[in-house]
Amino acid sequence: MVMLKAPFSKNIEAKQHSPVYKMHRYFARRPHNVFSELIKHYTDEGDVILDPFCGGGVTVIEGLLLNRKVIGVDINPLATFVTEMEILPLNVDEFKREFNLLEQRVREKMNYLYRSICPECLISPSLHNLDSKIFLDWVEWENGDIIRCKYKCSQGHSGEKYPDNKDIILAQEIENNFEEIVAKEKLWFPQQQIPDGDKTKSIIRKGYDYFRQLFTKRNLIALSVLKREISKVENLEIRKFLLFALSGTLKWASKQSHLRGEVVEGWAMHAYWVYRRSLEINVWQTFAKRCKAIISGKESIKFLNHYKATTSFDDMLKDANTMILNQSSDDLPLSDKSVDAVITDPPYGGNVNYGELADYWLVWLDDVMDKTKEAVINATQGKSQNDYEEILFGVFKECHRVLKDDSPMVATFNSKDLVIISSFIKAVVKAGFKLMDDGLLYQPPIKAYVTTVHAKEIGAFTGDFIFTFCKDNSLDNPINPNIENCEILINEIIEKNAMRAKTEVQMRRWVYEEVIPLFAEWAKGPDGWIADIAKYAESQLKKQKFENLHFELARSIAR
């Protein structure tokens, strides 16, 4: 009989994303080296790992690199698209050849769209000069006007400049002739309306009703030309990777790009937002960079040569080692007690509305996500905290069915809100799991990423907690906690840690380390009870935040 391994207890310095994860954006990817260590700790070569919320593919890739068999499942089509492209083999030499052929086909049109004058050498390229190397790298807009540009030229000059008359006339020319160009070139671009949602309301209120309106006419033409020419590539494998590069380009191609100081930043928020000063970034130059990123990503895992995919679990028991499924994880085509470990990073309430955000990319694949079973708190979709908890419960119940006895379910979770954490814990416990002794570990974040827009939200919780659960045989013996005694205990924990903490984040981390194991026990109580005690704890934490002025002082010093 295989013995259940002790919980992972090692603090690791989280590394930045490696090249394979830089090929395409995905939201809230966890540190790859941390997941690699979790996989090494809890599983052996040849073991089957399930990730029911595979997202950006970290568990899948790290598992394959360590010679495990992996099953990645996600209801979001963007997640499975990105994960599949990360692990699919690529003939890099053929990819480079087709890229060069593509460049030859689109060069004239891209030169036309982004042509400019170099102020240092005062050479203006002819409209049809195929050898022209003078182009706009980006254009900054404010209130419908170009306020500055960045240019590059073949003489080695580059820099920023105020727009000259030809820059302004070119933009107007493209705007005025857009419909004619689209008809003449027979271009396709997404026509879908932006669905009403919690994360789309703000952009819709600004007058953006359709996804196409998030792009300038110039960039819309450039993206459409690229998509049309990529569709002509006969090699299906290469065509898919060129489309993957085009999809990766979308992060930088819309009006949601902007300058953060001197840094050119693509869409980085977990919400739709067009800045007062937005950037129009050269689509072709960005696409070329994404192609280089794909080459770099593939070369970084070129020793991953044992990849064999299947859609049948029977094949996984033979020589296949990868299943990627685009579906809800509440009904998996897997046998009972067939998985050696579940290692995942589930959604955090309403922190990231993956489906609403993914639609931005999916419309370019002529798709939008069916969000019916998405585990999220979203008022527009009519999904409450209880709905979120029930969807999670359905997934974790299925994990319980397919997981072998004496095997772990490991999850990272990140939320500032104890109420959301309590829903996660309740769903797991209700599904038949328990938190193991010493099964909670705080994992510090990737240092370089704590300055992102999302992470810098005041009081945002940085880092993850790593939970290690196992199957629980004591569910037939529910407990009936005394709420008054629980509140007294919570107050003691919060007051003790508030006194010694320098920041709210530090206080929350220390409180969570003591309170979460209690929640895991109390979650066996009556339905709704754990949510009530979590709300009480959250209210006491917020009270400490306002009563302890040294928290604000610490934030002021940090800023």
Side-chain angles (χ1 to χ4, degrees):
M1 179 179 176
V2 177
M3 295 296 294
L4 186 63
K5 294 180 180 178
F8 185 78
S9 60
K10 190 167 52 173
N11 269 126
I12 299 168
E13 183 176 349
K15 294 182 180 178
Q16 295 188 39
H17 298 321
S18 59
V20 68
Y21 303 113
K22 294 179 179 179
M23 295 193 298
H24 195 292
R25 183 191 179 191
Y26 200 76
F27 324 98
R29 271 195 184 100
R30 309 336 284 166
H32 67 95
N33 65 311
V34 173
F35 270 65
S36 179
E37 291 295 325
L38 292 174
I39 291 167
K40 284 188 280 190
H41 177 80
Y42 287 108
T43 65
D44 300 311
E45 289 194 12
D47 280 356
V48 178
I49 301 170
L50 167 66
D51 185 347
F53 302 101
C54 72
V58 175
T59 301
V60 172
I61 291 171
E62 299 306 316
L64 286 173
L65 291 174
L66 292 169
N67 294 312
R68 274 60 167 175
K69 297 188 175 189
V70 290
I71 303 167
V73 190
D74 206 295
I75 197 169
N76 192 325
L78 180 65
T80 51
F81 171 61
V82 169
T83 300
E84 284 180 335
M85 298 310 295
E86 287 170 339
I87 58 180
L88 278 174
L90 172 66
N91 184 325
V92 171
D93 290 336
E94 182 66 15
F95 183 74
K96 291 178 180 178
R97 190 184 75 83
E98 286 290 353
F99 172 82
N100 290 332
L101 292 173
L102 177 66
E103 183 178 22
Q104 292 173 24
R105 295 202 301 274
V106 303
R107 184 189 298 155
E108 181 177 355
K109 288 185 174 61
M110 297 302 165
N111 283 346
Y112 162 74
L113 290 172
Y114 300 101
R115 72 187 188 273
S116 187
I117 295 174
C118 173
E120 296 184 61
C121 53
L122 295 178
I123 298 176
S124 177
S126 169
L127 180 61
H128 300 294
N129 180 4
L130 298 184
D131 295 323
S132 167
K133 296 293 182 182
I134 304 172
F135 60 85
L136 294 171
D137 194 33
W138 51 255
V139 175
E140 188 172 28
W141 292 81
E142 183 177 18
N143 297 324
D145 295 321
I146 300 174
I147 58 175
R148 60 173 165 167
C149 317
K150 183 175 181 182
Y151 65 91
K152 292 182 181 178
C153 87
S154 57
Q155 302 301 312
H157 303 138
S158 67
E160 296 179 12
K161 67 169 186 172
Y162 291 111
D164 54 50
N165 285 336
K166 292 193 175 181
D167 295 325
I168 296 170
I169 290 170
L170 173 61
Q172 292 173 341
E173 177 185 313
I174 294 170
E175 180 78 22
N176 295 337
N177 298 329
F178 176 74
E179 299 295 341
E180 181 183 340
I181 294 170
V182 168
K184 179 180 178 182
E185 298 288 341
K186 298 180 180 179
L187 299 179
W188 176 93
F189 51 85
Q191 300 296 326
Q192 288 95 330
Q193 196 166 2
I194 299 175
D196 189 27
D198 284 9
K199 298 301 181 182
T200 59
K201 287 183 185 298
S202 60
I203 203 74
I204 292 172
R205 281 197 294 264
K206 286 188 170 187
Y208 293 89
D209 296 315
Y210 295 87
F211 284 102
R212 65 176 183 268
Q213 294 175 305
L214 293 171
F215 304 87
T216 64
K217 295 294 197 301
R218 171 165 33 204
N219 278 8
L220 204 54
I221 290 170
L223 289 165
S224 302
V225 167
L226 271 176
K227 193 172 192 304
R228 183 192 66 192
E229 295 304 314
I230 289 170
S231 69
K232 297 176 183 177
V233 175
E234 293 183 359
N235 185 314
L236 181 59
E237 170 200 327
I238 304 301
R239 188 197 309 163
K240 286 179 69 174
F241 275 101
L242 289 171
L243 285 171
F244 187 49
L246 181 64
S247 181
T249 300
L250 294 173
K251 174 183 174 179
W252 286 272
S254 78
K255 299 175 185 176
Q256 298 179 99
S257 296
H258 71 118
L259 282 174
R260 182 163 58 92
E262 298 299 317
V263 178
V264 174
E265 187 167 74
W267 182 26
M269 297 181 71
H270 289 167
Y272 290 86
W273 189 258
V274 175
Y275 290 84
R276 181 173 61 86
R277 289 187 174 184
S278 64
L279 280 192
E280 178 185 32
I281 302 176
N282 186 308
V283 164
W284 172 255
Q285 296 300 317
T286 305
F287 175 76
K289 291 175 184 176
R290 301 325 305 153
C291 287
K292 289 179 181 178
I294 288 175
I295 293 169
S296 177
K298 289 303 174 183
E299 289 181 340
S300 74
I301 58 169
K302 59 186 175 184
F303 55 91
L304 184 59
N305 53 15
H306 56 285
Y307 164 77
K308 186 172 181 181
T310 183
T311 56
S312 167
F313 186 68
D314 289 340
D315 293 336
M316 291 287 284
L317 300 176
K318 300 172 186 176
D319 59 344
N321 61 6
T322 311
M323 282 180 70
I324 305 297
L325 304 174
N326 177 213
Q327 63 167 79
S328 170
S329 291
D330 63 357
D331 186 16
L332 297 170
L334 309 179
S335 305
D336 292 354
K337 300 180 180 181
S338 57
V339 169
D340 295 290
V342 175
I343 300 178
T344 192
D345 179 55
Y348 319 138
N351 190 25
V352 182
N353 274 254
Y354 296 91
E356 290 185 5
L357 302 175
D359 282 341
Y360 170 79
W361 282 269
L362 291 173
V363 292
W364 284 90
L365 302 173
D366 205 18
D367 194 10
V368 291
M369 179 179 161
D370 179 357
K371 305 171 186 68
T372 307
K373 290 189 174 183
E374 183 186 17
V376 69
I377 298 172
N378 187 298
T380 309
Q381 295 178 31
K383 289 180 182 173
S384 65
Q385 181 185 334
N386 288 337
D387 296 315
Y388 162 73
E389 186 177 306
E390 279 301 306
I391 294 172
L392 283 185
F393 163 67
V395 171
F396 293 137
K397 184 179 179 182
E398 186 71 347
C399 290
H400 188 279
R401 178 185 71 81
V402 303
L403 185 64
K404 294 178 181 178
D405 294 335
D406 296 314
S407 291
M409 183 171 80
V410 184
T412 58
F413 201 82
N414 179 309
S415 178
K416 174 188 172 183
D417 192 339
L418 267 177
V419 178
I420 303 302
I421 296 173
S422 75
S423 282
F424 160 67
I425 293 172
K426 180 66 177 179
V428 175
V429 170
K430 185 178 175 182
F433 292 96
K434 66 178 179 179
L435 184 68
M436 292 183 65
D437 293 339
D438 299 319
L440 183 71
L441 176 69
Y442 173 72
Q443 170 59 49
I446 301 173
K447 291 180 181 179
Y449 299 155
V450 297
T451 58
T452 62
V453 172
H454 194 71
K456 286 189 344 185
E457 180 185 350
I458 292 296
F461 193 82
T462 56
D464 296 316
F465 278 104
I466 301 173
F467 293 76
T468 301
F469 299 98
C470 64
K471 290 186 175 182
D472 187 6
N473 297 319
S474 63
L475 277 181
D476 292 335
N477 301 305
I479 63 171
N480 289 292
N482 181 291
I483 192 165
E484 185 176 342
N485 291 340
C486 293
E487 289 179 353
I488 291 171
L489 181 55
I490 283 174
N491 282 334
E492 290 175 353
I493 292 171
I494 292 175
E495 289 173 7
K496 173 185 67 177
N497 287 294
M499 290 296 293
R500 65 191 185 108
K502 294 182 179 178
T503 66
E504 181 195 354
V505 171
Q506 194 175 59
M507 175 188 69
R508 282 183 176 272
R509 174 194 161 180
W510 291 339
V511 168
Y512 290 5
E513 287 174 333
E514 295 189 57
V515 167
I516 286 174
L518 295 175
F519 279 12
E521 282 298 313
W522 296 344
K524 298 175 186 177
D527 283 346
W529 183 88
I530 187 65
D532 290 338
I533 198 68
K535 289 174 184 175
Y536 174 79
E538 186 61 37
S539 69
Q540 296 304 105
L541 282 166
K542 289 177 179 175
K543 180 180 177 183
Q544 287 293 340
K545 171 185 173 180
F546 290 110
E547 289 183 355
N548 286 273
L549 297 179
H550 63 280
F551 288 168
E552 181 59 38
L553 177 62
R555 281 198 292 273
S556 299
I557 294 171
R559 287 196 290 266

